[in-house]
Amino acid sequence: MTFNLASLSFLIWTCCNLVPRSLAHHNWYLNKFEKYPIFNQCSSSIAFGWAMLTGSKKFIQNEDLNRFIETGTMHLFAVSGLHVGFFYMILSVFFKWIYINHKIKLLLKIMMCGTYIFLIGNPYSAIRALLMISMYE
């Protein structure tokens, strides 16, 4: 697998083409079918995974939320530098099999981690972790 400008432009064009189309299809299904699966009605395990990944607790049901508060495990849903470290580690394993320049790999991994941090709301601990990873690498 090689990296060149043509493949990068094709990737960007594909993402820019498919994301709006998939959102339009999803909205059409929501309007057309009453019983179309909605993420708000998800199982508790999916809501737990979503909360662990993003730090958002809005999909966890109230009885589960109260259980987490009573047991003192609510801190698991706070996105920290450890989440960014794990995300970077997974990206490193994935990029190990792609044969491109090391500096380009590093730039792509840091940009993906930065996008993840932006999407979860820019917590200070995650930004600090990304800065430390950037300096270490």
Side-chain angles (χ1 to χ4, degrees):
M1 180 177 248
T2 60
F3 177 78
N4 58 29
L5 186 60
S7 63
L8 179 65
S9 63
F10 181 74
L11 173 70
I12 293 170
W13 180 84
T14 303
C15 291
C16 290
N17 186 16
L18 290 181
V19 169
R21 289 176 60 192
S22 63
L23 290 174
H25 284 298
H26 179 70
N27 289 331
W28 181 82
Y29 278 107
L30 285 176
N31 293 331
K32 184 78 173 170
F33 302 108
E34 287 180 15
K35 296 187 178 184
Y36 185 71
I38 300 174
F39 191 65
N40 292 340
Q41 301 169 349
C42 63
S43 68
S44 62
S45 60
I46 293 174
F48 180 80
W50 182 257
M52 288 287 291
L53 181 66
T54 63
S56 172
K57 299 172 249 343
K58 65 181 177 181
F59 297 113
I60 297 178
Q61 297 173 356
N62 286 335
E63 60 268 5
D64 291 337
L65 201 58
N66 290 334
R67 202 173 308 134
F68 290 130
I69 291 171
E70 290 171 3
T71 58
T73 55
M74 196 65 168
H75 68 277
L76 292 175
F77 303 123
V79 177
S80 64
L82 186 63
H83 289 80
V84 177
F86 281 142
F87 187 68
Y88 187 82
M89 183 180 68
I90 291 169
L91 287 175
S92 295
V93 169
F94 174 72
F95 276 106
K96 181 179 180 181
W97 303 106
I98 297 176
Y99 298 106
I100 55 177
N101 187 353
H102 175 71
K103 291 180 181 180
I104 295 173
K105 282 185 194 181
L106 179 63
L107 182 65
L108 287 173
K109 290 188 288 187
I110 289 174
M111 285 174 50
M112 288 179 173
C113 285
T115 304
Y116 170 67
I117 290 171
F118 174 74
L119 290 175
I120 61 173
N122 297 324
Y124 293 123
S125 59
I127 294 170
R128 184 173 48 245
L130 182 62
L131 289 173
M132 291 299 132
I133 289 171
S134 302
M135 293 175 72
Y136 177 75
E137 290 287 329

